[in-house]
Every structure is written in structure tokens, then in C-alpha cells.
């Protein structure tokens, strides 16, 4: 729902700490890849001067991740060509059942199974997990992995994360729910990877980033964890 939530009297919503819907822009060797375009895309693009992208990558087709797709039309108009859109068969099918696929995009279907793939000529890895009954894709580029809207996964996922240094993972709430791991389980997940920098994203108004401390103890003392925030820039190696 984003933060602040309309009409919510809670302290976080009242202090108007804005958390727009989760998205990320990857810049790799001059290529700009946008991960998801939720209903806040237009505002995010204006705020952070995202004036063009080379491709769109989708994680899944829930509204908070695709609600702003139509606002990418300015990029289509300027380039006068369709925007490549990388996604799974399932995401494409669900997108079709929710709304028409506008002619703005050329879909590129990712391999059905988790593993290496090529995105805009770049070596990447797309791996799958679940948000309740929805199949969701995570992505790895170099030493960075981006995982959002995860509630269930198979242990095999860690084989695709081997050697990563930076992990972006959704937390949403403090406790686990049918749709999200929650901060506690997200921390436990991160601890099972080699990431020494972990950023928690997709935070709801339940998480007061000023007072919540990270649960659990860390075997990897070098690991730094932080709450992501709108406009955060992270460097990674590709
Ligand atoms: Zn609230
Ligand atoms: Zn979401």
C-alpha cells in the first residue's frame, strides 16, 4: 500500500515518512535496467531523474509491481521502439488476465528453471521462489542479488546466491505472514548467504526503522544490515 497509508493514524504514517512501492534501477556498463514499475513509478522517475531505461525486468505481476507500466509510455515515445520486458511465462500470463499488454513492450520470456540467463546482453541469473501461490523471480547480476515478495523458497535458491556480496531482500512486516518472510525470517535468510551487505526493502508501516533493531545473532560479523529507503544508491560489482 505504500507508506503513509491513506487514513492510517499510526505514528509512522503520521510522521509522513514516505516509502513508495518497491522498485530498483540497475545501471551496468551504460545499460539501465528497471526492476518493476509499481503505481509510484511516475513519481519515482521524476524524483530520481529516471529519464530513460533500456529494459524492464519484472519480478511478478502484483499491482504494487506493475501498476505503473503504462507510465513507461514516455520512454516508448522517445525511443520510438518497444521496451524489452524480461519476465517469466507465469508473470506474463497473470499480467494478461489482469489487464491488456500494451504495445509498449516486447516480452522476453526467461528460462523456466532457475539459472543463468542473458538480459540485454548481460549475463545474469533468474531464480524462482514463491509469494504464497504466486511464482516470483529474483535476479542476480554480478555480486548483487535482488529478492522481493518472498514467502516460501526451496533450499536450492542458495546455490544461485553463492558468492554474492550484496543482497536486497523484502521484509515488509516484523513477523512472517502468508505473503512475506517478515524481518526475522529475512534476516535468517540473509545469514545463509555470503552477502556482507544486506538491505531490507518493501517495508510496511509496521516497521519503524528508527527503533527496530535487527533480530538474531550473526555468525558473519562482517555483515552489515540496513533498511533500504527511497532513493538509496548501492554500488555493486558486475
Ligand atoms: Zn500506518
Ligand atoms: Zn510487493
Amino acid at each position: 500500500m505504500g507508506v503513509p497509508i491513506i487514513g492510517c493514524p499510526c505514528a509512522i504514517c503520521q510522521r509522513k515518512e514516505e516509502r513508495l512501492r518497491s522498485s530498483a534501477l540497475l545501471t551496468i556498463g551504460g545499460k539501465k535496467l528497471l526492476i518493476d514499475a509499481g503505481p509510484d513509478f511516475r513519481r519515482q522517475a521524476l524524483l530520481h531523474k529516471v529519464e530513460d531505461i533500456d529494459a524492464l525486468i519484472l519480478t511478478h505481476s502484483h499491482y504494487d509491481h506493475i501498476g505503473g507500466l503504462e507510465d513507461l509510455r514516455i520512454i516508448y515515445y522517445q525511443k520510438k521502439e518497444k521496451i524489452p520486458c524480461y519476465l517469466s511465462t507465469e508473470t506474463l500470463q497473470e499480467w494478461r488476465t489482469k489487464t491488456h499488454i500494451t504495445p509498449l513492450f516486447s516480452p522476453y520470456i526467461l528460462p523456466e528453471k532457475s539459472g543463468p540467463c542473458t538480459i540485454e546482453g548481460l549475463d545474469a541469473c533468474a531464480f524462482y521462489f514463491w509469494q504464497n501461490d504466486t511464482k516470483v523471480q529474483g535476479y542476480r547480476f554480478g555480486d548483487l542479488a535482488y529478492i522481493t515478495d518472498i514467502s516460501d523458497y526451496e533450499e536450492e535458491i542458495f546455490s544461485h546466491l553463492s558468492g554474492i556480496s550484496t543482497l536486497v531482500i523484502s521484509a515488509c512486516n516484523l513477523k512472517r505472514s502468508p505473503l512475506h518472510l517478515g524481518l526475522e525470517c529475512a534476516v535468517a535468510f540473509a545469514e545463509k548467504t555470503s552477502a556482507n551487505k544486506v538491505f531490507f526493502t518493501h517495508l510496511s508501516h509496521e516497521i519503524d526503522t528508527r527503533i527496530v533493531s535487527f533480530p538474531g545473532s550473526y555468525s558473519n560479523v562482517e555483515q552489515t544490515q540496513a533498511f533500504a529507503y527511497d532513493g538509496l544508491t548501492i554500488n555493486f560489482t558486475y
Side-chain angles (χ1 to χ4, degrees):
M1 287 181 282
V3 176
I5 290 176
I6 297 167
C8 180
C10 87
I12 293 174
C13 292
Q14 287 303 308
R15 78 177 181 231
K16 304 201 170 25
E17 180 183 306
E18 195 163 56
R19 298 176 193 167
L20 299 178
R21 262 56 79 89
S22 299
S23 178
L25 182 73
L26 303 182
T27 306
I28 303 172
K31 292 247 186 226
K32 289 182 183 160
L33 312 174
L34 179 68
I35 304 182
D36 293 335
D40 297 319
F41 168 74
R42 180 174 173 277
R43 187 160 149 68
Q44 289 162 320
L46 291 169
L47 279 172
H48 306 295
K49 299 193 170 31
V50 180
E51 288 163 3
D52 77 291
I53 61 161
D54 295 290
L56 173 71
I57 303 171
L58 292 182
T59 58
H60 63 307
S61 68
H62 286 162
Y63 173 73
D64 56 328
H65 298 262
I66 68 162
L69 290 177
E70 292 283 345
D71 280 329
L72 288 165
R73 70 180 52 243
I74 185 62
I75 291 161
Y76 168 72
Y77 289 155
Q78 283 168 349
K79 292 196 165 196
K80 297 184 181 58
E81 55 190 52
K82 293 189 182 202
I83 303 164
C85 176
Y86 294 82
L87 73 182
S88 69
T89 308
E90 290 84 354
T91 299
L92 182 62
Q93 280 166 354
E94 278 174 45
W95 181 4
R96 279 205 175 108
T97 62
K98 288 179 178 168
T99 176
H100 70 293
I101 307 271
T102 68
L104 308 177
F105 303 101
S106 317
Y108 288 87
I109 302 293
L110 294 163
E112 198 185 321
K113 290 203 165 120
S114 297
C117 62
T118 305
I119 294 180
E120 286 303 286
L122 299 165
D123 290 334
C125 174
F127 48 90
Y128 300 98
F129 46 87
W130 296 90
Q131 182 177 39
N132 202 341
D133 55 1
T134 300
K135 189 176 169 187
V136 185
Q137 294 87 251
Y139 295 94
R140 177 176 179 175
F141 287 87
D143 70 357
L144 169 89
Y146 185 90
I147 296 175
T148 192
D149 294 61
I150 181 169
S151 66
D152 298 279
Y153 57 88
E154 286 165 16
E155 287 298 304
E156 184 248 356
I157 194 169
F158 295 105
S159 68
H160 305 290
L161 302 175
S162 149
I164 59 166
S165 300
T166 305
L167 172 66
V168 180
I169 185 167
S170 60
C172 201
N173 306 310
L174 292 169
K175 295 281 174 206
R176 190 185 170 84
S177 74
L179 294 176
H180 291 278
L181 285 183
L183 187 60
E184 216 170 88
C185 296
V187 166
F189 182 101
E191 201 185 13
K192 290 173 82 172
T193 73
S194 52
N196 52 27
K197 283 175 286 174
V198 183
F199 297 92
F200 299 96
T201 188
H202 208 302
L203 305 176
S204 78
H205 66 159
E206 205 182 297
I207 296 182
D208 188 337
T209 54
R210 293 186 196 173
I211 58 169
V212 168
S213 56
F214 292 100
S217 60
Y218 277 81
S219 47
N220 181 357
V221 290
E222 296 300 313
Q223 195 174 49
T224 58
Q225 308 153 88
F227 291 112
Y229 54 86
D230 291 26
L232 170 68
T233 301
I234 299 168
N235 291 315
F236 64 100
T237 305
Y238 176 77

